[in-house]
Amino acid sequence: MNCCGLLTAQKEPVPLKSIEVELEVRDHVATVVSTLTYENKEDKPVEAVFVFPLPGDAAVCHFSAKIGQTQIVAEVKEKQQAREEYDDALSSGQQAFLLEESEQSPDIFTLSVGSLPPGESASIRLEYVTELAVQADDGLRFCLPAVLNPRYQPQGSGGSEGASVQVTSVPASLVPYSLSFSARVSSPRPVSKVESNCSLDPLQHLNTEQTQATVKLAAGHKFDRDVELLIYYKDAHQPTAVVEAGQTTAKTGTLMGDPVVMLSLYPEFPQSVMSSVASCGEFVFLLDRSGSMDCPTDDSMQEATRICSARDTLLLLLKSLPMGCYFNIYSFGDTYEHIFPKSVEYCEKTLEEAVKKVEEMAADLGGTEILESLKHIYSQPCIPNQPRQLFVFTDGEVFNTKEVINLVKKNSGSHRCFSFGIGEGASSALINGLAKEGGGHAQFITGTDRMQPKVMQSLRFALQPAVEDISVTWDLPKGVSVTVLSPPITAVFQGQRSLLYAQLTGQSSEASEGSVMVKYSLAGHPSQSQLHFSLKPAEDTGLTVHRLGARTLIRSLEMEEKDDEAPQDEGVKERVVELSVQSGVSSSYTAFIVVNKGNGEPIEGPLVRRNIPTSMLGGMMYSRCDILVFDDSSTCEDFQYCEPMWRNKDASEEYTRISSDEACLGNVEAPTIKKPPRDPLLQLVSLQKASGYWLLDPALAAALGKTSKEVDKTKPPAVNQEMWATVLALIWLYSFKMDAKEEWELLAMKAVSWLRAQNAPCVAECVEAGKALLGCEVQKDFLGL
């Protein structure tokens, strides 16, 4: 396997000097403008190649280059045609710029800056629009990816087997370009706060209604991690509709010429249904055990690794499952494993066996080949009256993203899929795509985020009754027709947003209002949610809604074209290219091309290729992937892409791990990662039995911070040991861990159900004795007994 040196900033100048990002958020839609400045300080012309990530659901809609005082706007063309024009321009000595989306994953782009003359500078302007995902705490999440993890390419998928997507990566401290970032937020509702994983200057409100605000990164920020913003509005769950006027220069009857409506729906379920939790289901957990899961969850090197956090989360999930359900646990790397041959009924015996196996799991299965494990899961027959719920945990370093998502889509009728992206650089295209096509919900765990509360939010969604028979009915005035651009709604959850895009054709002189009705069946009861909206186009929206609508339709068509089993429609690719060119929105079949013909004089000298490095988290360098060898003798002409080397279980000492910050200086001693002590909450959780009770033993006493003697001595005489232990555990949770209630609430409900089933008359006495022992106070009715 070839492995060679990454060139440092000290050894060779890198052409990319700075990135400036301006973010504009309007309600739950974001427009992002990035300006990349290049400068060639060498004595010969260079070609700068930069592979970088964007949000997986972004619609790139503008690309231009400024050379000196000349501004040239790119055209969208069929990809092969654009590549040929780029090559022709370079061979004739002209400057050219090419922006391409990966055919395998829509969150990876390649920007080629060709024939930048000696001493010349150029500015590239890139603009995209994207929807903002709603988080469990109702915040809207925007992520500017800085980290592009290598994507593992499965064997037999084309290219060199076992290879990675070719990405040039360096330790974060050596990224040679700077970042400036500012954001402007506006909404019909007040902006209550903006939070970030990076240091921000204070939020500045621009009006007394607090519906407009600005914020920017604090000075001195290094682009060494994804920049994440969480934006919070008051009354965020209000349904909304935006009608955007068509482009005046576009032909009426086309997507860009007609108005487009974007509907944001938040169905509200009856409280009587939501208060009950399902006691059935087949819960299948799929855990990534590739080498990169051995990385820390952030770059401090003091936190637990991704695999440790995933193991702790699996423990919490297992303890929170209802009695009577079925479950199984799969894990994958180069191959896949499962704990049980098929899903088993949840009981004390199967729970204990699963917990023991989970505690032994390590990031030791090599690459990230998720596809075969999914195929095996889907080959298993579903269990009657036990709806299948699939939970996928991965750091997203997958090459064949579209193939994986398409498989989930094919099986969407038999299950719901909940996905979790772990760590910086997890593929947003993969994580969001799995949940969207699987009718579930996506979560991202980055930096110092705790995985457990986000995963438990998804478990609550999984335990909600499945919404069935979903239909959407439009009521529009005579003379106005609708063409829906979005795929059919396949999942509806309490408090979660559903977005719909539709093209409106025609006009009406009779009415200026339309409505849409979403009907569905919930727990056997018919329900509906209706939204009325004005047909009058909103002012000053640009073409954001049109571009997002075009992106939605393009993605649907691309997935349809990638379906290996469906009859191939020769016109699908042509339709995608036509839509992409018409709307100016990126696709996997098109590219943005700029050629600067200038004064027609060719640029003198041989062209040298330069690969712009992408930030790589320091923690990745300590993992069992991305083992890089730095060759001090490497010259610019020797430069090649680096590929990750996956640690072989049978020859685990073959490769040397290298310190991220000092790798280029030749220091190959990596610091050890400190293993944090076990969380007291998880320690208590680990002792709970499947049916909900705790045993009175020394381990429980220790978890409560007491001795066995103290616990035994204060037990009321009429109370049995299991009831006493269970009441103590619940008192401890309600007294000392209320800040983490969303993590343990489901297993506490199971414990209360067990207590109720005992029909013991001495619960009140038990609670008073427990409060005295633990030295705390709780409400008398906290158990609901």
Side-chain angles (χ1 to χ4, degrees):
M1 186 169 289
N2 295 325
C3 207
C4 69
L6 290 178
L7 300 182
T8 70
Q10 291 88 343
K11 295 184 74 173
E12 280 291 347
V14 177
L16 180 60
K17 293 301 177 186
S18 66
I19 301 176
E20 179 184 345
V21 179
E22 296 177 342
L23 168 68
E24 182 171 0
V25 177
R26 293 185 178 180
D27 208 7
H28 54 255
V29 171
T31 301
V32 185
V33 178
S34 298
T35 304
L36 297 84
T37 302
Y38 292 82
E39 183 179 1
N40 181 14
K41 291 187 176 181
E42 301 187 44
D43 58 0
K44 47 189 170 288
V46 300
E47 178 187 21
V49 180
F50 184 31
V51 180
F52 61 99
L54 287 180
D57 55 357
V60 177
C61 54
H62 176 88
F63 177 56
S64 61
K66 185 176 182 180
I67 306 101
Q69 298 303 311
T70 305
Q71 182 87 18
I72 310 170
V73 177
E75 297 179 74
V76 180
K77 297 188 177 183
E78 191 276 327
K79 184 173 283 187
Q80 189 57 38
Q81 179 186 350
R83 287 173 175 171
E84 290 173 0
E85 289 188 18
Y86 177 80
D87 291 339
D88 289 345
L90 295 195
S91 62
S92 63
Q94 294 174 323
Q95 290 175 318
F97 305 83
L98 182 69
L99 180 68
E100 300 178 78
E101 175 185 314
S102 166
E103 294 180 9
Q104 293 296 333
S105 183
D107 62 343
I108 301 177
F109 283 76
T110 301
L111 173 59
S112 300
V113 179
S115 289
L116 194 60
E120 185 83 66
S121 62
S123 291
I124 306 299
R125 179 184 169 96
L126 173 70
E127 181 177 334
Y128 64 87
V129 292
T130 185
E131 302 159 358
L132 300 186
V134 182
Q135 301 301 288
D137 61 355
D138 298 338
L140 295 175
R141 180 181 185 265
F142 169 78
C143 181
L144 179 70
V147 180
L148 176 55
N149 293 339
R151 303 289 172 82
Y152 189 81
Q153 180 173 320
Q155 295 184 2
S157 61
S160 56
E161 293 190 346
S164 165
V165 171
Q166 295 181 332
V167 179
T168 306
S169 305
V170 297
S173 62
L174 297 178
V175 172
Y177 44 87
S178 61
L179 169 75
S180 63
F181 178 88
S182 61
R184 180 186 178 99
V185 183
S186 60
S187 172
R189 298 172 291 280
V191 182
S192 56
K193 62 179 177 177
V194 177
E195 296 178 347
S196 177
N197 61 329
C198 304
S199 296
L200 299 175
D201 287 345
L203 182 70
Q204 302 288 327
H205 285 102
L206 303 179
N207 57 4
T208 54
E209 295 83 8
Q210 298 190 344
T211 56
Q212 297 181 26
T214 60
V215 69
K216 64 180 181 179
L217 284 180
H221 174 78
K222 291 186 177 181
F223 203 12
D224 58 354
R225 67 187 68 191
D226 293 354
V227 177
E228 183 182 67
L229 287 188
L230 293 173
I231 301 164
Y232 296 86
Y233 300 131
K234 294 181 181 177
D235 302 320
H237 283 197
Q238 294 300 313
T240 58
V242 176
V243 177
E244 184 178 77
Q247 198 171 17
T248 54
T249 57
K251 184 180 177 181
T252 302
T254 64
L255 173 59
M256 299 305 290
D258 286 341
V260 171
V261 59
M262 177 176 66
L263 303 175
S264 177
L265 305 173
Y266 287 94
E268 288 292 327
F269 296 170
Q271 184 58 38
S272 58
V273 176
M274 296 311 302
S275 60
S276 63
V277 176
S279 59
C280 62
E282 180 195 7
F283 296 88
V284 180
F285 305 107
L286 179 58
L287 176 63
D288 187 343
R289 285 173 58 191
S290 62
S292 54
M293 287 290 288
D294 218 11
C295 299
T297 52
D298 72 1
D299 58 355
S300 69
M301 303 307 297
Q302 302 299 316
E303 297 296 321
T305 60
R306 298 171 185 173
I307 192 70
C308 287
S309 296
R311 283 199 306 260
D312 288 344
T313 303
L314 269 179
L315 170 67
L316 194 60
L317 280 167
L318 289 172
K319 295 290 184 175
S320 301
L321 292 179
M323 292 292 286
C325 73
Y326 286 74
F327 77 104
N328 203 353
I329 301 173
Y330 287 75
S331 54
F332 68 92
D334 288 330
T335 182
Y336 64 88
E337 299 177 357
H338 44 69
I339 291 182
F340 305 106
K342 62 179 182 179
S343 293
V344 295
E345 188 172 356
Y346 181 80
C347 64
E348 190 58 44
K349 180 182 178 182
T350 55
L351 174 62
E352 286 185 5
E353 185 175 349
V355 168
K356 183 178 179 181
K357 294 284 182 63
V358 167
E359 289 175 348
E360 297 170 353
M361 287 182 174
D364 56 2
L365 291 186
T368 315
E369 299 191 28
I370 188 175
L371 194 64
E372 293 305 314
S373 59
L374 285 172
K375 286 180 179 178
H376 181 81
I377 290 169
Y378 293 140
S379 72
Q380 302 297 303
C382 291
I383 302 171
N385 302 315
Q386 302 285 347
R388 179 174 287 172
Q389 316 277 2
L390 175 62
F391 286 66
V392 180
F393 300 86
T394 178
D395 57 13
E397 298 179 10
V398 173
F399 175 78
N400 52 341
T401 300
K402 289 185 178 179
E403 192 177 359
V404 172
I405 293 172
N406 200 48
L407 178 64
V408 174
K409 180 181 179 181
K410 288 180 189 175
N411 293 275
S412 59
S414 64
H415 79 304
R416 291 192 285 190
C417 181
F418 299 85
S419 55
F420 307 90
I422 307 171
E424 304 283 355
S427 168
S428 59
L430 177 71
I431 304 305
N432 288 327
L434 288 174
K436 184 174 182 179
E437 299 299 340
H441 186 244
Q443 302 268 21
F444 290 86
I445 299 97
T446 60
T448 57
D449 287 351
R450 279 177 60 82
M451 191 185 302
Q452 289 86 349
K454 293 191 175 186
V455 174
M456 295 309 293
Q457 172 71 33
S458 292
L459 179 58
R460 287 187 184 86
F461 286 152
L463 291 171
Q464 287 181 16
V467 174
E468 299 173 331
D469 302 325
I470 302 172
S471 65
V472 177
T473 306
W474 297 79
D475 184 10
L476 298 171
K478 186 177 180 180
V480 179
S481 61
V482 62
T483 302
V484 179
L485 306 174
S486 303
I489 298 175
T490 57
V492 178
F493 295 108
Q494 168 73 11
Q496 282 304 112
R497 182 189 67 198
S498 296
L499 281 176
L500 275 180
Y501 296 93
Q503 175 183 344
L504 301 175
T505 303
Q507 292 182 333
S508 172
S509 57
E510 299 177 1
S512 60
E513 186 179 86
S515 70
V516 63
M517 176 84 74
V518 181
K519 296 182 179 180
Y520 48 89
S521 176
L522 178 67
H525 301 288
S527 300
Q528 62 186 36
S529 179
Q530 187 172 23
L531 173 63
H532 294 269
F533 57 92
S534 171
L535 293 175
K536 182 180 178 182
E539 296 180 1
D540 192 29
T541 57
L543 290 169
T544 302
V545 174
H546 279 74
R547 287 164 174 162
L548 286 171
R551 187 283 319 273
T552 299
L553 183 55
I554 286 170
R555 291 286 184 256
S556 297
L557 289 169
E558 286 176 337
M559 291 297 294
E560 180 182 326
E561 204 272 339
K562 292 286 183 182
D563 190 340
D564 296 330
E565 294 181 6
Q568 292 300 300
D569 183 353
E570 294 296 329
V572 171
K573 180 178 177 180
E574 287 74 13
R575 179 85 194 282
V576 169
V577 172
E578 180 186 358
L579 270 172
S580 180
V581 171
Q582 181 194 138
S583 62
V585 169
S586 59
S587 78
S588 61
Y589 299 122
T590 53
F592 288 84
I593 176 72
V594 174
V595 177
N596 179 26
K597 297 179 176 153
N599 57 13
E601 296 180 5
I603 296 168
E604 299 295 333
L607 186 65
V608 178
R609 185 180 176 99
R610 292 285 182 264
N611 298 281
I612 311 300
T614 299
S615 173
M616 177 169 62
L617 280 185
M620 289 187 65
M621 298 294 286
Y622 305 100
S623 70
R624 292 175 182 168
C625 67
D626 299 313
I627 312 303
L628 306 177
V629 179
F630 291 79
D631 181 359
D632 288 336
S633 65
S634 297
T635 65
C636 199
E637 286 70 30
D638 295 327
F639 191 95
Q640 299 178 44
Y641 285 112
C642 286
E643 298 177 352
M645 300 175 77
W646 304 100
R647 182 178 290 271
N648 186 305
K649 288 187 289 185
D650 297 324
S652 61
E653 298 305 316
E654 183 176 342
Y655 309 127
T656 304
R657 288 186 279 180
I658 299 175
S659 164
S660 62
D661 290 339
E662 300 181 358
C664 294
L665 303 178
N667 181 356
V668 296
E669 292 186 11
T672 56
I673 301 171
K674 296 181 180 179
K675 186 176 181 180
R678 185 155 204 183
D679 186 311
L681 172 59
L682 291 173
Q683 182 62 31
L684 184 76
V685 166
S686 69
L687 300 173
Q688 189 184 30
K689 298 299 181 180
S691 56
Y693 69 91
W694 276 265
L695 291 176
L696 191 66
D697 58 18
L700 176 66
L704 299 173
K706 299 295 178 181
T707 65
S708 294
K709 185 176 181 181
E710 289 175 310
V711 173
D712 291 336
K713 183 179 178 182
T714 53
K715 182 180 77 69
V719 176
N720 67 42
Q721 291 188 344
E722 287 79 12
M723 177 174 286
W724 174 233
T726 303
V727 169
L728 286 177
L730 288 169
I731 291 174
W732 187 87
L733 289 171
Y734 276 92
S735 300
F736 301 112
K737 290 295 177 181
M738 281 300 289
D739 59 333
K741 186 178 179 182
E742 66 269 26
E743 298 182 35
W744 51 260
E745 189 172 24
L746 289 176
L747 61 88
M749 289 170 59
K750 191 160 62 168
V752 170
S753 296
W754 180 85
L755 283 172
R756 285 176 176 162
Q758 308 310 302
N759 291 319
C762 48
V763 173
E765 179 187 1
C766 205
V767 170
E768 292 303 316
K771 286 159 50 178
L773 172 63
L774 298 178
C776 56
E777 191 63 47
V778 292
Q779 296 293 325
K780 289 184 177 181
D781 60 349
F782 81 107
L783 295 179
L785 299 174

